[in-house]
Amino acid sequence: MADKDNSTPRVYLFRHGETEWTISGRYTGVSEIPLTANGEQQVLSTGRVVVGAGKLVDPARLARVFVSPRKRARTTKVQVTADISEWGYGAYEGLLTAQIREARRAQGLDAQVAERLDRLIATIRAIQGPNMHGEAAADVVLVAHGHILRAFVKRWLGYPMEMPLNLMMSPGAVAVLSYSHHRVDEPALMMGVSLPVQHKE
């Protein structure tokens, strides 16, 4: 991000760490699948690298943290919201993508998810809109799940849910959204971010 854009609010998307079902590729909606030991380490490692004073996610710049109500994403001192929870897969729970994709589309389930995400995006933009030049802390963190975060990016950018936009996000990873030209009506996906320089003390 160019220096002139450093004050533009950001939305950080954190995916929860690895579970047994992320390893096998199974859909995990409402099932409470715990993180593996490796998944716990992924989250801790990511946090140590990117969260803290002077780091990519600086708590002094945060206005809000939204977390899915699922145990694998939840932490303390955050606002838990069902708007960013993974959708319920019902009979699809535990199945693979190839077994599900067409049936979901036929049932119109994606429209319900789009409505939830649009509501959350409106909340975020209401927080960030008045602070497009760093007037107040306005960064937002979302901690959730792979599928819902990929859907969130589509809706953030104004794309319909059915648009084929292949996005990937590893367990324990972070992605960044922001705005072009300090304008709340120009949402953007940051293709890459440089980490702040850490000076040795």
Side-chain angles (χ1 to χ4, degrees):
M1 180 177 259
D3 287 343
K4 68 179 179 65
D5 294 325
N6 274 343
S7 61
T8 305
R10 299 176 184 180
V11 177
Y12 299 99
L13 310 178
F14 283 84
R15 183 176 178 194
H16 65 75
E18 169 189 276
T19 68
E20 289 299 329
W21 280 16
T22 62
I23 294 169
S24 65
R26 298 192 179 284
Y27 276 49
T28 314
V30 297
S31 297
E32 292 290 6
I33 308 299
L35 298 181
T36 63
N38 186 56
E40 291 175 10
Q41 288 305 308
Q42 287 172 326
V43 172
L44 291 172
S45 294
T46 299
R48 279 192 294 270
V49 172
V50 302
V51 179
K55 294 184 178 181
L56 181 65
V57 181
D58 188 334
R61 292 181 46 106
L62 288 179
R64 190 83 51 93
V65 176
F66 295 98
V67 178
S68 164
R70 302 291 169 258
K71 288 180 185 176
R72 60 190 180 274
R74 208 173 46 216
T75 61
T76 58
K77 297 185 181 180
V78 295
Q79 179 176 340
V80 175
T81 176
D83 287 342
I84 196 66
S85 64
E86 192 74 288
W87 48 76
Y89 293 112
Y92 305 146
E93 193 83 7
L95 299 180
L96 301 172
T97 301
Q99 300 167 299
I100 297 171
R101 189 166 280 153
E102 188 55 43
R104 272 195 68 74
R105 198 175 357 259
Q107 292 179 13
L109 297 177
D110 290 344
Q112 296 169 19
V113 173
E115 186 177 305
R116 275 195 295 141
L117 295 177
D118 290 348
R119 186 171 53 240
L120 180 58
I121 288 167
T123 299
I124 292 169
R125 291 195 177 141
I127 292 167
Q128 294 182 330
N131 302 298
M132 294 306 288
H133 294 277
E135 295 84 349
D139 287 353
V140 171
V141 170
L142 302 179
V143 182
H145 319 279
H147 288 115
I148 198 71
L149 289 173
R150 291 189 295 262
F152 183 88
V153 170
K154 281 185 184 182
R155 299 306 298 152
W156 179 264
L157 297 173
Y159 298 139
M161 292 287 286
E162 63 275 5
M163 179 184 166
L165 181 62
N166 292 326
L167 300 169
M168 296 173 64
M169 189 173 196
S170 299
V174 61
V176 184
L177 302 172
S178 190
Y179 305 89
S180 294
H181 309 109
H182 297 280
R183 293 179 50 101
V184 74
D185 61 343
E186 292 186 30
L189 168 66
M190 296 182 71
M191 295 295 294
V193 294
S194 57
L195 298 175
V197 175
Q198 298 295 308
H199 300 284
K200 292 185 179 184
E201 296 178 20

